[in-house]
Amino acid sequence: MMDAGRHPRIKVLVSSEVIDVSGAVGNFHVKVRRRARYVQQDLCNSCAECTKVCPVIIPDEYQMGLASRKAIYIPFPQAVPSAYLINPEDCLGNNPIACGKCLEVCEQKCIDFDMRDEILEVDVGAMIVATGMEAYDPTEITEYGYSRYDNVITSMEFERLICAGGPSAGHFVRPSDGERPRRIGFIQCVGSRSSRYGSPYCSNICCMNTVKDTLLLADHYPDTDAKVFYMDIRAFGKGFEDLYLRSRSSGVRYIRGIPGEIEEDPQTKNLRVRVENTLAGELEQHELDMVVLSVGVRPRLDSNTVQRLLTLSRTSDGFFLEAHPKLKPVDAPTRGIFLAGCCESPKDVKDSVTQAGAAASHVQVLLSAGRIRIDAGTPLLEEADCIRCGRCAAVCPFHAIHWQRGGVPEIIEAACSGCGCCAAECPVDALTMRHSTDEQLKAQIDAILDEHPEDKLLTFACNWCSYAGGDTAGTARLQFPVHGRLVRTMCSARVSEDLILYAFEKGAPLVLVSGCHFADCHYINANRQTVTRVERAWDRLEKLGIRPERLHLEWISAAEGQKFAEVMRVLDEPRAQVTAEEIAHTRKVLAEERKRREGRKEKMRAAARKKREAAADARAESSAGAAASVAGPAKS
Amino acid sequence: MEEERRFRCLRCGLEFTAVHRKDGEPVERVCPRCRSNSIRPTKEAKG
């Protein structure tokens, strides 16, 4: 951090937050609010005279509330820049100045109560998101009595207590009486791998953190009796198994079983832990001086804001989603944005550093090239047909279409990833997806349904998940009926209502639209639009007297070959039940409906065109009038 | 804002009630009987 702070080409903006991001890869425009720190950081020499006289004493967040700080403070010892700041929420008041003692003692005269928040605007080519994580707060697990019992602490508090720079200067003491604890228990998976409390996922780092903590204790205080209560120890990774074995051989007792309850002796403040030792098959009770809850990792609470600002995608766990788990593990789905550290998934320091290095390298590759290659499958707008409704811009998951009311949508090709959601949404077919045009998709449908359409299960499959799920089913040689025929689209959101109706019109007995699971969508959240469109198609079919049960929707991931095969098996029965008469009736109804639909589209285009022409005439008239009034009456 | 809504599975025909969040992150709808994702919101009967 010090190196970054001193680097001539790195600008560290502390106490700052991103408030707006616009533009696209290579050309982002970012607005940053830099909070007033009320101390001129260039002048402050960290003499600490101000903090000595400050009368406000509040819990120190960095020391997990185990120590106190003043209203004027340095957030933590290695903070960059090494300058004090005033938290206006803690200070007795600076408008008018209620105390001002810091102002009086500051020899550098660097305290400035008139300082205001600044809005900075910066242009950047790429961004790395490294917003980190939050530790789980175990207060809700009432059985463990955290925040009720003094000597039940979290692993984060343990770190502060045993740190030389911590509140007790590295002397490991109990919060209740300041005595050194000799019997310590660690409870694993607090807020992790639980359907009741916290999160269902494994937080990845807690096992090895506890192993490290037990080794620290064994090193600092060899007479400590440490016990670890666990479900299973996950010590994968280079050298981790050795560390775990070292911890065991140093005398730490590992007990397989998660305690159900902790009780406190009100006199001694000692803790009684009851646990079922599942290896020994016995119910045990342990008397301990201190219990450390090994808390899990959670996404930051402000992840929603970051997601909205940067057009990111999140997994069901709430962490930011990478563009591809194997091929693009540090890229966000939005081009030019990269992920590093625990914002992407829980990981330890080594993995975070590795990912950060990879992200920085990706940025270098992107920026040093000086030019970017855009996807070939971007939309093309036929301006004359566009009715300026802005629906394309509203559904674009990448915000790659800029539109102002009444104006022509502007497609930012560098920001577009080619999902085709916009083209499917356009009510007048003014947008054409290059290499995935309606004509090309219809030609595929025609070819599939050219012969014996009644035998075909026409399936729209998204490129990244469902189509790959079909591949998985095939390569695993899973058995399923041969009637499925796949039309590959980049995203299920490319499948418009018109394409679905076209397939039925061409004689498809059953149509399946399939895409990625919500958390896996390659195009952030485009497949939510698929749901909307399929629901609209169900309504339309019903209105036209066609059974909506003939249109199906399934989410199939690339790994779900089994599900793909099962869906093909299950849907074969309703496909076979569709009679030739029903298909013939559908074709007739939809052929008429298509004519009506085309007529409606043409009317919409014509109406929009007329409106534009009228507006242009009005503008011309008013400019002619203005020119005449400027010129004044002609001289005779 | 949460509200209970009726849904119908277009694969097995099961009608069921599920919580629908208007303002929250959309969730995948799954039929509790056949696990299909072809879940259609049913239209409320006009009173």
Side-chain angles (χ1 to χ4, degrees):
Chain A
M1 190 129 175
M2 301 280 273
D3 286 347
R6 289 179 188 142
H7 197 283
R9 300 194 66 186
I10 298 177
K11 195 171 182 182
V12 180
L13 299 177
V14 293
S15 308
S16 305
E17 61 176 320
V18 174
I19 54 172
D20 187 46
V21 176
S22 57
V25 54
N27 194 21
F28 289 113
H29 186 72
V30 185
K31 277 188 190 167
V32 179
R33 175 180 288 123
R34 195 178 193 180
R35 298 204 178 280
R37 57 190 296 144
Y38 303 104
V39 176
Q40 293 179 45
Q41 63 186 54
D42 300 337
L43 295 178
C44 177
N45 60 6
S46 315
C47 66
E49 290 303 317
C50 51
T51 201
K52 285 178 194 162
V53 296
C54 178
V56 180
I57 300 173
I58 50 169
D60 186 342
E61 300 88 349
Y62 177 67
Q63 302 289 8
M64 308 297 294
L66 297 166
S68 59
R69 67 163 173 83
K70 301 293 184 69
I72 183 162
Y73 67 111
I74 290 182
F76 55 96
Q78 297 82 22
V80 171
S82 181
Y84 279 77
L85 64 91
I86 295 173
N87 188 340
E89 287 168 18
D90 302 331
C91 185
L92 290 177
N94 57 11
N95 188 23
I97 298 167
C99 158
K101 288 186 177 169
C102 51
L103 202 61
E104 289 165 14
V105 297
C106 181
E107 287 181 4
Q108 291 292 106
K109 303 290 175 209
C110 58
I111 295 170
D112 177 7
F113 280 120
D114 295 327
M115 207 177 259
R116 292 287 173 265
D117 290 359
E118 282 177 89
I119 304 293
L120 306 176
E121 299 198 17
V122 287
D123 292 317
V124 295
M127 287 185 265
I128 297 176
V129 183
T131 46
M133 54 80 176
E134 279 178 16
Y136 171 70
D137 178 356
T139 308
E140 65 173 337
I141 311 178
T142 50
E143 302 93 290
Y144 290 166
Y146 175 73
S147 75
R148 206 166 71 243
Y149 304 148
D150 290 343
N151 296 324
V152 176
I153 63 170
T154 66
S155 42
M156 298 296 281
E157 289 163 343
F158 177 93
E159 293 295 331
R160 297 317 312 148
L161 280 173
I162 206 155
C163 176
S168 52
H171 300 293
F172 191 59
V173 293
R174 297 206 311 175
S176 66
D177 52 15
E179 294 295 316
R180 183 166 79 79
R182 290 171 194 278
R183 299 166 300 175
I184 301 173
F186 291 84
I187 300 178
Q188 295 304 109
C189 299
V190 177
S192 301
R193 303 175 68 192
S194 167
S195 53
R196 259 180 94 197
Y197 297 117
S199 316
Y201 54 83
C202 169
S203 288
N204 193 0
I205 56 172
C206 331
C207 283
M208 291 320 297
N209 188 53
T210 295
V211 168
K212 184 260 299 174
D213 288 345
T214 58
L215 284 169
L216 267 179
L217 279 175
D219 185 45
H220 290 18
Y221 308 103
D223 60 335
T224 304
D225 175 20
K227 290 167 182 164
V228 178
F229 303 97
Y230 70 100
M231 273 194 239
D232 46 54
I233 293 291
R234 298 187 168 183
F236 52 85
K238 190 178 176 183
F240 288 175
E241 186 69 15
D242 285 347
L243 269 183
Y244 169 54
L245 294 175
R246 256 176 62 198
S247 169
R248 285 192 85 116
S249 62
S250 70
V252 177
R253 196 178 155 206
Y254 282 79
I255 299 163
R256 200 179 79 177
I258 298 293
E261 195 178 15
I262 299 173
E263 280 178 4
E264 186 193 60
D265 182 333
Q267 302 299 320
T268 61
K269 300 282 182 185
N270 286 346
L271 302 161
R272 261 191 308 276
V273 172
R274 288 197 189 88
V275 62
E276 183 192 354
N277 185 333
T278 56
L279 282 181
E282 287 172 2
L283 213 57
E284 297 178 359
Q285 183 169 299
H286 299 268
E287 180 100 3
L288 301 166
D289 299 331
M290 177 186 267
V291 167
V292 180
L293 305 178
S294 192
V295 290
V297 169
R298 308 188 79 180
R300 281 182 61 90
L301 291 174
D302 58 3
S303 297
N304 263 337
T305 311
V306 180
Q307 179 188 14
R308 183 179 47 77
L309 283 170
L310 301 178
T311 325
L312 299 175
S313 191
R314 290 165 74 191
T315 63
S316 54
D317 298 331
F319 293 99
F320 294 130
L321 182 69
E322 68 278 23
H324 191 283
K326 292 170 192 160
L327 303 176
K328 291 184 172 180
V330 297
D331 297 54
T334 302
R335 296 181 73 189
I337 298 180
F338 302 89
L339 307 171
C342 287
C343 68
E344 186 261 332
S345 66
K347 54 177 72 73
D348 62 10
V349 175
K350 182 188 169 190
D351 286 354
S352 296
V353 170
T354 307
Q355 198 181 18
S361 304
H362 275 60
V363 170
Q364 284 286 3
V365 169
L366 181 77
L367 298 186
S368 60
R371 54 200 292 180
I372 57 159
R373 188 179 286 188
I374 59 168
D375 275 326
T378 51
L380 188 67
L381 177 71
E382 186 57 61
E383 265 192 53
D385 289 345
C386 178
I387 59 170
R388 279 75 162 153
C389 65
R391 281 165 70 170
C392 49
V395 298
C396 177
F398 295 91
H399 302 149
I401 303 181
H402 289 181
W403 175 75
Q404 286 184 327
R405 187 170 287 277
V408 183
E410 184 196 352
I411 298 163
I412 315 295
E413 293 199 359
C416 174
S417 286
C419 61
C421 191
C422 52
E425 189 68 18
C426 181
V428 289
D429 302 335
L431 280 163
T432 306
M433 286 306 293
R434 293 183 181 100
H435 307 293
S436 179
T437 64
D438 279 3
E439 286 68 32
Q440 285 170 322
L441 295 173
K442 283 176 181 172
Q444 289 184 55
I445 295 169
D446 288 342
I448 289 168
L449 301 173
D450 192 29
E451 288 180 3
H452 303 292
E454 68 280 1
D455 289 342
K456 312 284 170 55
L457 167 53
L458 194 123
T459 304
F460 292 103
C462 89
N463 177 60
W464 306 99
C465 286
S466 305
Y467 195 88
D471 264 351
T472 308
T475 49
R477 298 189 181 279
L478 300 177
Q479 298 297 306
F480 53 88
V482 295
H483 302 112
R485 293 290 186 280
L486 270 57
V487 175
R488 177 155 53 169
T489 55
M490 290 309 282
C491 177
S492 58
R494 170 69 187 92
V495 183
S496 63
E497 217 180 314
D498 280 3
L499 283 172
I500 294 170
L501 298 183
Y502 186 79
F504 280 120
E505 190 193 331
K506 289 293 161 181
L510 218 69
V511 172
L512 167 65
V513 178
S514 59
C516 309
H517 286 284
F518 276 17
D520 300 338
C521 184
H522 193 79
Y523 300 104
I524 302 176
N525 55 9
N527 58 0
R528 278 42 155 205
Q529 299 299 330
T530 312
V531 180
T532 312
R533 292 208 190 101
V534 169
E535 284 179 358
R536 282 206 303 249
W538 278 328
D539 292 346
R540 179 79 72 93
L541 289 173
E542 195 169 56
K543 263 187 194 165
L544 295 168
I546 300 164
R547 287 188 299 126
E549 289 83 357
R550 290 172 59 192
L551 171 61
H552 287 259
L553 173 69
E554 294 294 341
W555 309 121
I556 304 170
S557 81
E560 289 179 325
Q562 287 279 5
K563 183 174 181 183
F564 182 89
E566 194 209 327
V567 168
M568 289 292 140
R569 265 196 301 273
V570 170
L571 293 187
D572 201 43
E573 196 185 322
R575 179 205 58 76
Q577 285 171 352
V578 181
T579 61
E581 292 75 32
E582 193 176 356
I583 292 174
H585 173 257
T586 306
R587 296 180 77 148
K588 190 176 160 220
V589 168
L590 287 178
E592 289 164 9
E593 165 65 10
R594 181 162 50 84
K595 282 179 200 156
R596 282 198 296 272
R597 223 168 42 238
E598 291 302 330
R600 276 199 299 270
K601 284 179 187 175
E602 195 43 56
K603 266 188 192 168
M604 286 165 81
R605 288 186 205 114
R609 217 172 289 141
K610 206 172 163 184
K611 202 172 158 187
R612 284 200 300 275
E613 282 166 7
D617 287 348
R619 273 199 305 273
E621 266 179 36
S622 70
S623 61
S629 65
V630 168
K635 285 179 184 173
S636 55
Chain B
M1 203 177 87
E2 284 187 359
E3 61 171 1
E4 286 203 337
R5 278 180 72 174
R6 296 283 295 166
F7 295 96
R8 190 163 74 88
C9 172
L10 294 188
R11 191 197 283 179
C12 72
L14 179 75
E15 288 214 9
F16 60 97
T17 306
V19 173
H20 173 76
R21 288 194 65 180
K22 273 187 176 174
D23 50 351
E25 181 75 3
V27 288
E28 284 181 17
R29 294 185 198 133
V30 182
C31 172
R33 186 159 71 191
C34 70
R35 313 301 299 162
S36 169
N37 302 122
S38 302
I39 307 299
R40 188 182 178 201
T42 58
K43 294 269 184 292
E44 297 299 324
K46 285 177 185 171

Coordinates of all heavy atoms in Angstrom, one line a residue, chain A residues 376-378 418-420 423 431-442 444 487-491 494-495 499:
Chain A
A376 N -18.4 -9.4 -33.4 CA -19.0 -9.2 -34.7 C -20.5 -9.2 -34.7 O -21.2 -8.6 -35.5 CB -18.5 -10.4 -35.6
G377 N -21.1 -9.8 -33.7 CA -22.5 -9.9 -33.6 C -23.2 -8.8 -32.9 O -24.0 -9.0 -31.9
T378 N -23.0 -7.6 -33.4 CA -23.6 -6.4 -32.7 C -24.9 -6.0 -33.6 O -25.0 -6.4 -34.7 CB -22.7 -5.2 -32.6 OG1 -22.1 -5.0 -33.9 CG2 -21.6 -5.5 -31.6
G418 N -23.5 -8.5 -27.7 CA -24.1 -9.2 -28.8 C -25.2 -10.3 -28.3 O -25.3 -11.3 -28.9
C419 N -25.9 -10.0 -27.2 CA -26.9 -10.9 -26.7 C -28.1 -11.0 -27.6 O -28.8 -12.0 -27.7 CB -27.3 -10.6 -25.3 SG -28.1 -9.0 -25.1
G420 N -28.4 -9.9 -28.3 CA -29.5 -9.8 -29.2 C -30.8 -9.5 -28.5 O -31.9 -9.6 -29.1
A423 N -32.7 -6.6 -30.3 CA -33.4 -7.0 -31.6 C -34.6 -7.7 -31.3 O -35.6 -7.5 -32.1 CB -32.4 -7.8 -32.4
L431 N -34.0 -3.3 -35.7 CA -32.7 -3.7 -35.3 C -32.4 -5.1 -35.9 O -33.2 -6.0 -35.8 CB -32.6 -3.8 -33.8 CG -32.3 -2.4 -33.1 CD1 -32.6 -2.6 -31.6 CD2 -30.9 -2.0 -33.3
T432 N -31.2 -5.2 -36.5 CA -30.8 -6.5 -37.0 C -29.6 -7.0 -36.3 O -28.6 -6.2 -36.3 CB -30.6 -6.4 -38.5 OG1 -31.7 -5.8 -39.1 CG2 -30.3 -7.7 -39.2
M433 N -29.6 -8.2 -35.8 CA -28.3 -8.7 -35.2 C -27.4 -9.3 -36.3 O -27.8 -10.2 -37.0 CB -28.6 -9.8 -34.2 CG -29.3 -9.4 -32.9 SD -28.3 -8.1 -32.1 CE -26.8 -9.0 -31.6
R434 N -26.2 -8.7 -36.4 CA -25.3 -9.2 -37.4 C -25.0 -10.7 -37.1 O -24.7 -11.0 -36.0 CB -24.0 -8.4 -37.5 CG -24.2 -7.0 -37.9 CD -22.9 -6.3 -37.9 NE -22.9 -4.9 -38.4 CZ -22.9 -3.9 -37.5 NH1 -22.8 -4.1 -36.2 NH2 -23.0 -2.6 -38.0
H435 N -25.0 -11.5 -38.1 CA -24.7 -12.9 -38.0 C -25.7 -13.7 -37.2 O -25.5 -14.9 -36.9 CB -23.3 -13.2 -37.4 CG -22.3 -12.4 -38.1 ND1 -21.9 -12.7 -39.4 CD2 -21.5 -11.3 -37.7 CE1 -21.0 -11.8 -39.8 NE2 -20.7 -11.0 -38.8
S436 N -26.8 -13.1 -36.8 CA -27.9 -13.8 -36.1 C -29.2 -13.1 -36.5 O -30.0 -12.7 -35.6 CB -27.7 -13.9 -34.6 OG -28.7 -14.6 -34.0
T437 N -29.4 -12.9 -37.8 CA -30.6 -12.1 -38.2 C -31.8 -13.0 -38.1 O -31.7 -14.2 -38.0 CB -30.4 -11.6 -39.7 OG1 -30.4 -12.8 -40.5 CG2 -29.1 -10.8 -39.9
D438 N -33.0 -12.3 -38.1 CA -34.2 -13.0 -38.1 C -34.3 -14.0 -39.3 O -34.7 -15.1 -39.2 CB -35.4 -12.1 -38.1 CG -35.7 -11.5 -36.7 OD1 -35.0 -11.8 -35.8 OD2 -36.7 -10.7 -36.6
E439 N -33.8 -13.5 -40.4 CA -33.8 -14.3 -41.7 C -33.0 -15.6 -41.5 O -33.4 -16.7 -41.9 CB -33.3 -13.5 -42.9 CG -34.3 -12.4 -43.4 CD -34.5 -11.3 -42.4 OE1 -33.5 -11.0 -41.6 OE2 -35.6 -10.7 -42.3
Q440 N -31.8 -15.4 -40.9 CA -31.0 -16.6 -40.7 C -31.6 -17.6 -39.7 O -31.5 -18.8 -40.0 CB -29.6 -16.1 -40.1 CG -28.7 -15.5 -41.2 CD -27.5 -14.8 -40.6 OE1 -27.5 -14.2 -39.6 NE2 -26.4 -14.9 -41.4
L441 N -32.2 -17.1 -38.7 CA -32.8 -18.0 -37.7 C -34.1 -18.6 -38.3 O -34.3 -19.8 -38.1 CB -33.2 -17.2 -36.4 CG -32.0 -16.6 -35.6 CD1 -32.4 -15.8 -34.5 CD2 -31.1 -17.8 -35.1
K442 N -34.8 -17.8 -39.1 CA -36.0 -18.4 -39.7 C -35.6 -19.5 -40.7 O -36.3 -20.5 -40.9 CB -36.8 -17.3 -40.4 CG -37.6 -16.5 -39.4 CD -38.4 -15.4 -40.0 CE -39.2 -14.6 -39.0 NZ -39.8 -13.4 -39.5
Q444 N -33.1 -21.4 -40.5 CA -32.8 -22.7 -39.7 C -34.1 -23.4 -39.3 O -34.2 -24.6 -39.4 CB -32.1 -22.3 -38.4 CG -30.6 -21.9 -38.7 CD -29.9 -21.7 -37.4 OE1 -29.8 -22.6 -36.5 NE2 -29.3 -20.5 -37.2
V487 N -31.9 -24.8 -32.4 CA -31.5 -23.5 -33.1 C -30.7 -22.8 -32.1 O -31.2 -22.4 -31.0 CB -32.8 -22.7 -33.5 CG1 -32.4 -21.4 -34.1 CG2 -33.7 -23.5 -34.4
R488 N -29.4 -22.5 -32.4 CA -28.5 -21.9 -31.5 C -28.7 -20.4 -31.6 O -28.5 -19.8 -32.6 CB -27.1 -22.3 -31.7 CG -26.1 -21.6 -30.8 CD -24.9 -22.4 -30.6 NE -24.2 -22.8 -31.8 CZ -22.9 -23.3 -31.7 NH1 -22.3 -23.4 -30.6 NH2 -22.3 -23.6 -32.8
T489 N -28.9 -19.7 -30.4 CA -28.8 -18.3 -30.4 C -27.8 -17.9 -29.3 O -27.5 -18.7 -28.4 CB -30.2 -17.7 -29.9 OG1 -30.6 -18.3 -28.7 CG2 -31.3 -17.9 -31.0
M490 N -27.2 -16.7 -29.4 CA -26.2 -16.3 -28.4 C -26.8 -16.3 -27.0 O -26.2 -16.7 -26.1 CB -25.6 -15.0 -28.8 CG -24.7 -15.0 -30.0 SD -23.5 -16.3 -30.0 CE -22.3 -15.6 -28.9
C491 N -28.0 -15.8 -26.9 CA -28.7 -15.8 -25.6 C -30.1 -16.1 -25.8 O -30.7 -15.9 -26.9 CB -28.6 -14.3 -25.0 SG -29.4 -14.1 -23.5
R494 N -32.4 -13.5 -27.2 CA -32.5 -13.2 -28.6 C -33.8 -13.8 -29.2 O -34.2 -13.3 -30.3 CB -31.3 -13.8 -29.3 CG -31.3 -13.8 -30.8 CD -31.1 -12.4 -31.4 NE -31.3 -12.3 -32.8 CZ -32.4 -12.0 -33.4 NH1 -33.6 -11.9 -32.7 NH2 -32.5 -11.9 -34.7
V495 N -34.4 -14.7 -28.6 CA -35.6 -15.4 -29.1 C -36.8 -14.4 -28.9 O -37.3 -14.2 -27.8 CB -35.9 -16.7 -28.4 CG1 -37.1 -17.4 -29.1 CG2 -34.7 -17.6 -28.5
L499 N -40.3 -15.1 -33.5 CA -39.6 -16.3 -33.9 C -40.4 -17.5 -33.3 O -40.4 -18.6 -34.0 CB -38.2 -16.3 -33.3 CG -37.2 -15.4 -34.1 CD1 -35.9 -15.4 -33.4 CD2 -37.0 -16.0 -35.5

